Amino acid sequence: MKLYLVPTPIGNLEDMTFRAIKVLKEVDLVLAEDTRTSGKLMKHFEITTHMQSHHMHNEHKTVENIINKIKSGTTVALISDAGTPAISDPGFLLTRACIQNNIEVDCLPGATAFVPALVNSGLPNEKFVFEGFLPVKKGRQTRLLKLAEEDRTIILYESPHKLVKTLGNLAEYLGADRQASVSRELTKLFEETRRGTVTELAEHYANKPPKGEIVLIVAGK
């Protein structure tokens, strides 16, 4: 009885590992965040394994059924749309349920957006804290106040249309001169990392709205 957590490329398909392809071909079932998105990946690598939807809107309802399938002998792999499952994506609930049911969990190494963004930032990376997405409304101010006292490098995920607002919030709560970097479209054709103060970055992206997935790295206090 085993669950495989399989990272998938965050943009460049050449980042798919040989082991990931092998596992996805050999398991009986692949759980995918979006079967349409993952279908393109599966087709590219000629993987014909049956897929089933497993995402944030249905994972609470499907976990028990998946556990029963694994217990009955079905080998299962979980993938997200991009990157490593459970990192700001579905995966935690199923992993916890497997552990509680004495089912082995095997997480393969592979693509995760925040690692190259952190290294590229030029900010200290011997200690860091991963925050994922900030709360949109409730709890946002509380979280920002806590981050203002954080002395480790801070990692945030953000959507393009909220980036300028978030940079503005960081300037307000952490200081206008706090150093940061914005990495977007990592591993893709138009990959970019821009560094500066949160104020400078906010001004730049206010005049030049960003596109693509974004990782924001912010210096600690």
Side-chain angles (χ1 to χ4, degrees):
M1 299 190 299
K2 181 182 286 191
L3 169 70
Y4 291 95
L5 302 178
V6 181
T8 55
I10 60 175
N12 192 326
L13 290 178
E14 292 182 2
D15 291 334
M16 189 74 167
T17 68
F18 292 117
R19 185 180 173 200
I21 295 170
K22 182 174 183 289
V23 167
L24 293 180
K25 285 185 175 181
E26 292 180 349
V27 296
D28 301 312
L29 175 65
V30 173
L31 303 175
E33 188 177 1
D34 187 327
T35 55
R36 294 166 298 180
T37 299
S38 296
K40 298 174 184 177
L41 177 81
M42 302 280 275
K43 183 178 180 180
H44 180 83
F45 291 107
E46 300 180 346
I47 302 169
T48 59
T49 308
H50 177 66
M51 285 193 295
Q52 177 181 317
S53 178
H54 182 79
H55 49 73
M56 62 179 294
H57 301 295
N58 74 356
E59 58 180 336
H60 287 85
K61 299 178 182 178
T62 59
V63 164
E64 184 177 354
N65 178 256
I66 294 167
I67 292 296
N68 290 333
K69 284 185 177 181
I70 297 175
K71 284 184 174 180
S72 69
T74 302
T75 54
V76 177
L78 172 66
I79 60 177
S80 63
D81 287 347
T84 300
I87 303 297
S88 291
D89 277 323
F92 164 70
L93 291 178
L94 182 56
T95 298
R96 182 178 63 181
C98 284
I99 293 169
Q100 291 171 341
N101 284 273
N102 296 315
I103 295 170
E104 183 180 354
V105 179
D106 189 353
C107 182
L108 278 62
T112 302
F114 75 76
V115 174
L118 174 62
V119 175
N120 281 340
S121 72
L123 295 171
N125 54 34
E126 69 275 8
K127 293 181 181 180
F128 57 88
V129 56
F130 176 72
E131 286 289 319
F133 290 94
L134 288 173
V136 177
K137 293 181 180 179
K138 186 178 180 181
R140 187 177 180 91
Q141 183 181 37
T142 301
R143 176 55 54 190
L144 286 164
L145 286 169
K146 288 183 178 180
L147 291 180
E149 300 303 316
E150 177 60 63
D151 58 4
R152 294 168 292 182
T153 299
I154 302 162
I155 302 171
L156 299 168
Y157 284 169
E158 192 50 278
S159 60
H161 65 280
K162 294 179 181 177
L163 177 62
V164 173
K165 176 185 176 181
T166 295
L167 287 167
N169 290 156
L170 293 171
E172 179 183 355
Y173 287 90
L174 278 64
D177 59 349
R178 186 68 67 94
Q179 291 292 315
S181 78
V182 173
S183 291
R184 63 179 192 85
E185 295 286 77
L186 286 167
T187 79
K188 300 178 183 178
L189 182 62
F190 298 106
E191 176 178 342
E192 175 192 54
T193 293
R194 181 169 290 272
R195 306 167 187 86
T197 67
V198 289
T199 302
E200 291 169 342
L201 291 168
E203 291 174 353
H204 171 79
Y205 287 110
N207 294 320
K208 189 177 180 180
K211 297 180 180 179
E213 300 298 322
I214 291 169
V215 185
L216 177 57
I217 311 294
V218 185
K221 183 177 179 182

